[in-house]
């Protein structure tokens, strides 16, 4: 299961009339921990924004992130309530989850999400809100950047320890 971390950065930019403006941007990273999210943030954002300050890192509870290859740059946070019939109490229960999808507008986000969810289960899309997230960086993108996953480093380390032990014997 993916863990998503929203990082907010702050930097200064010169705008018209040579005024300096403070700008805050938000990005979403797939990572295993806060530390890993911070490392990915610095690695990914250092080429985009050479001088920035990390403002915050927060874990986002997301059941799913849908990345559409449609050129839409706005990310919408959607609240979906699954309707489940509880046979013990003979009543319907609603379980709410959050999802993220990129789309051009709220209508497009709703239609795309409904298409992805299909008609297999009963659900209600109760909320769709635009976010300030500029980019979503999945774990595969992070791996392309040259960072090594922690699990791979641990495996390499344990292999090196075993090899060193064998060589000493």
């Amino acid at each position: 299961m993916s863990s998503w971390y929203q990082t907010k950065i702050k930097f200064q930019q010169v705008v018209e009339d040579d005024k300096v403006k403070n700008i805050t941007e938000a990005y979403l990273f797939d990572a295993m921990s806060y530390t890993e999210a911070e490392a990915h943030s610095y690695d990914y954002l250092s080429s985009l924004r050479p001088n920035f300050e990390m403002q915050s890192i927060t874990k986002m509870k997301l059941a799913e992130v849908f990345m559409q290859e449609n050129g839409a740059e706005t990310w919408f946070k959607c609240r979906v309530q699954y309707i489940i019939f509880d046979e013990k109490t003979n009543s319907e229960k609603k379980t709410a989850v959050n999802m993220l999808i990129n789309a051009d507008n709220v209508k497009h986000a709703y239609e795309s999400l409904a298409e992805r969810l299909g008609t297999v289960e009963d659900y209600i899309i109760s909320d769709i809100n635009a976010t300030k997230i500029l980019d979503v960086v999945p774990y595969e993108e992070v791996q392309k950047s040259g960072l090594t996953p922690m699990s791979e480093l641990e495996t390499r380390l344990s292999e090196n320890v075993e090899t060193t032990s064998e060589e000493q014997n």
Side-chain angles (χ1 to χ4, degrees), residues 5-160:
Y5 294 85
Q6 181 177 324
T7 61
K8 290 185 181 178
I9 63 168
K10 189 176 186 178
F11 61 95
Q12 294 183 336
Q13 186 174 32
V14 178
V15 291
E16 56 190 56
D17 300 332
D18 291 330
K19 293 182 180 178
V20 176
K21 183 177 180 181
N22 288 328
I23 300 192
T24 302
E25 293 180 343
Y27 296 87
L28 192 67
F29 291 89
D30 184 6
M32 300 295 282
S33 66
Y34 286 93
T35 305
E36 188 178 42
E38 182 178 21
H40 294 336
S41 298
Y42 278 108
D43 186 57
Y44 181 80
L45 296 170
S46 62
S47 61
L48 299 174
R49 307 276 179 243
N51 298 317
F52 68 88
E53 176 186 334
M54 185 74 63
Q55 288 293 108
S56 67
I57 300 175
T58 54
K59 189 170 186 176
M60 287 187 73
K61 290 185 180 182
L62 297 170
E64 192 72 50
V65 175
F66 297 107
M67 289 179 250
Q68 303 185 96
E69 299 294 330
N70 59 5
E73 295 182 6
T74 305
W75 288 92
F76 292 90
K77 186 176 179 182
C78 308
R79 185 169 185 83
V80 177
Q81 297 180 13
Y82 287 104
I83 303 168
I84 303 165
F85 186 76
D86 187 358
E87 293 179 10
K88 291 180 183 177
T89 61
N90 269 350
S91 63
E92 290 183 346
K93 287 179 129 182
K94 293 181 182 175
T95 304
V97 295
N98 292 318
M99 299 180 183
L100 202 68
I101 191 165
N102 62 321
D104 293 322
N105 53 47
V106 173
K107 180 182 177 193
H108 184 240
Y110 179 86
E111 291 169 351
S112 298
L113 185 60
E115 179 183 319
R116 299 251 179 324
L117 295 175
T119 57
V120 176
E121 295 185 47
D122 290 334
Y123 61 86
I124 298 169
I125 301 174
S126 59
D127 295 319
I128 299 179
N129 297 303
T131 68
K132 293 184 178 186
I133 296 171
L134 294 178
D135 201 3
V136 173
V137 183
Y139 199 74
E140 296 82 35
E141 287 294 316
V142 171
Q143 286 180 319
K144 288 179 190 175
S145 71
L147 292 175
T148 305
M150 185 60 108
S151 59
E152 191 174 319
L153 289 175
E154 289 171 349
T155 303
R156 287 182 193 172
L157 180 62
S158 66
E159 289 172 356
N160 286 341

